[in-house]
Amino acid sequence: MRALSRRLVLPGLAIVALAAAAGCGGSSGSSSGGSGGSTAAVSVPAPDAAAFTADFSLMKTLAPLAAEGKGLVGVLLPDTTTSARYVEFDAPYLKQAFEAAGLKSDQYKIDNAQGSASTMQQQAEADITAGATVLLVDPLDPGSGAAIESNAESKGVKVIDYDRLVTGGPADRYYVSFNNVTVGQLIGKGEESCIAAWNVSKPNILVMDGDPTDNNAKLFAQGYNGVLAPHFSDKSYVKVGEPAGTWDPPTAQTTFEQQFTAHPNINAVITPNDDNANAVISVLQKNKIPPKTFPTTGQDASPSGLQNILKGYQCGTVYKPIYLEAQAAAALAMYLRAGQTPPDSLVNATTKDTTLGQDIQSVYTTPIWVTTQNMADTVVKDGAVKVSDLCAGALQSACTAAGIS
């Protein structure tokens, strides 16, 4: 997510961007010595992390890497409960990216651990036994993720942290995500804008975080707390509290109910994702709080989050176009599988692993703050949500007002 700031390539420029990338035409780089790939460099266009598009066309230029590489690419996703994204978006987009790049169905494998670290460990072992040369790991927690990655590296398998940084993992791994501090900043700025637009006088804000064991949650909090700190400092906003974080919606609901009972003056909440926001909103509705009076925030652009925005209970959501993240991860995996060093145009950043005290080579893609004003031109246009699902029943008029049809 559970996770920036580079410019997105506009759809109208996609062909130009692709042509420019193809015009580079040079070698993708020297051998990285990956266990599963050839030591000879393969000539492919160097993909730019900002140039991936919704049609997956740039992935097709990486077909020579598929022919050159060896072994299985294993993908380990964490669960189906903390966010709907893993089933609805990550798995199908990763499949599409691998196949667009020329991998056959028996050359990649995508598993979901269903919330069990031991299951993820077993899935990793099974992938390695099946000949994996690259693992993409989105861990349930840093400790189990680091153990999986260290074991994989000891057997010559290259590892990529997918979406969440595996703090304490191998120093030479890669990381693919969004700039998660920027995600948090978008949440904080969205709260600011909403407080003004909804005329919330004397904002008394409860700050609700994600799970503290998730490095992304720490980065999100760094972002939104940085935006809100000046308001708390000059007393234009009051920070009521910041209880222990979670990604579990029922726990978030209980926490909010307790806080709202103890502090009935709360009139705005920072919620770090759509599922936690939905849990808070259910309490607001139970207490008959009217729409456009009590700001909440979110991320993931989930159907429930988008509908809560249309209903006037959620200010906005951070849309992280997962088709961009999936393509970036698949492209990186293709280079590593072929034993090649990924180009700097792809590996465009570093991320500090505070456990190791080292910078991890990273690929960042770009998030977008979505409200009713740009929903039609972002998530709807990209097909991230079906209009028939989004605008069902009583929401039809709200969709019409937002230009969604």
Side-chain angles (χ1 to χ4, degrees):
M1 19 205 20
R2 261 183 270 192
L4 281 164
S5 170
R6 290 178 180 267
R7 180 177 59 85
L8 274 175
V9 176
L10 296 174
L13 297 180
I15 296 175
V16 175
L18 182 56
C24 297
S27 168
S28 63
S30 61
S31 171
S32 66
S35 64
S38 165
T39 57
V42 179
S43 180
V44 296
D48 190 314
F52 294 107
T53 53
D55 63 1
F56 288 65
S57 56
L58 190 54
M59 293 302 300
K60 297 175 183 177
T61 68
L62 302 181
L65 293 175
E68 181 72 12
K70 299 183 186 303
L72 179 78
V73 178
V75 179
L76 306 174
L77 300 176
D79 58 49
T80 58
T81 57
T82 62
S83 176
R85 59 170 286 183
Y86 298 113
V87 174
E88 293 184 17
F89 302 115
D90 292 270
Y93 283 146
L94 284 162
K95 177 180 183 293
Q96 185 174 354
F98 287 132
E99 293 184 353
L103 289 190
K104 299 177 181 178
S105 60
D106 61 351
Q107 293 177 314
Y108 69 91
K109 186 168 178 279
I110 302 171
D111 289 307
N112 192 298
Q114 300 293 335
S116 168
S118 62
T119 296
M120 184 174 286
Q121 176 67 56
Q122 292 165 8
Q123 291 167 342
E125 290 285 0
D127 287 349
I128 294 169
T129 299
T133 51
V134 182
L135 284 184
L136 274 68
V137 182
D138 189 341
L140 284 152
D141 62 85
S144 64
I148 288 170
E149 292 186 347
S150 295
N151 177 60
E153 273 219 340
S154 73
K155 297 175 180 177
V157 179
K158 295 293 183 181
V159 293
I160 299 169
D161 295 354
Y162 180 69
D163 195 61
R164 295 173 179 166
L165 187 71
V166 182
T167 51
D172 62 347
R173 72 195 188 278
Y174 291 84
Y175 173 47
V176 178
S177 190
F178 295 84
N179 185 324
N180 291 309
V181 174
T182 300
V183 171
Q185 289 170 342
L186 290 174
I187 289 172
K189 291 175 183 177
E191 183 87 340
E192 279 183 324
S193 297
C194 201
I195 284 171
W198 291 3
N199 299 312
V200 179
S201 62
K202 299 180 180 179
N204 287 270
I205 301 177
L206 180 69
V207 177
M208 297 183 68
D209 302 321
D211 191 321
T213 66
D214 178 0
N215 192 66
N216 281 5
K218 298 175 185 177
L219 298 175
F220 302 148
Q222 180 183 332
Y224 52 69
N225 283 325
V227 170
L228 298 177
H231 294 288
F232 295 143
S233 180
D234 68 15
K235 303 188 186 309
S236 57
Y237 295 176
V238 174
K239 182 177 180 178
V240 177
E242 189 169 3
T246 182
W247 288 130
D248 179 56
T251 301
Q253 180 174 334
T254 298
T255 297
F256 177 69
E257 285 181 311
Q258 292 170 343
Q259 292 289 322
F260 199 31
T261 298
H263 308 282
N265 60 326
I266 293 171
N267 57 8
V269 181
I270 285 284
T271 33
N273 74 353
D274 293 344
D275 289 345
N276 280 13
N278 194 50
V280 169
I281 289 165
S282 69
V283 177
L284 297 180
Q285 292 175 328
K286 183 175 68 174
N287 284 275
K288 303 190 185 309
I289 303 296
K292 295 188 177 181
T293 61
F294 196 116
T296 68
T297 56
Q299 72 170 302
D300 293 334
S302 69
S304 65
L306 296 169
Q307 290 182 326
N308 282 329
I309 293 167
L310 291 168
K311 292 173 183 176
Y313 279 96
Q314 188 170 320
C315 302
T317 184
V318 179
Y319 174 41
K320 299 185 295 186
I322 297 170
Y323 64 83
L324 300 179
E325 187 177 20
Q327 288 177 84
L332 182 57
M334 297 298 291
Y335 278 96
L336 298 182
R337 180 176 177 271
Q340 304 300 320
T341 299
D344 292 342
S345 59
L346 179 62
V347 182
N348 59 5
T350 61
T351 304
K352 177 67 72 175
D353 183 330
T354 54
T355 299
L356 295 181
Q358 295 190 28
D359 290 330
I360 304 303
Q361 295 186 84
S362 303
V363 182
Y364 285 166
T365 50
T366 306
I368 305 166
W369 181 248
V370 171
T371 66
T372 55
Q373 281 69 46
N374 65 346
M375 194 179 294
D377 293 330
T378 53
V379 290
V380 174
K381 184 177 180 180
D382 284 351
V385 62
K386 294 181 180 178
V387 173
S388 58
D389 294 336
L390 180 63
C391 301
L395 286 176
Q396 182 59 59
S397 60
C399 282
T400 300
I404 300 169
S405 58

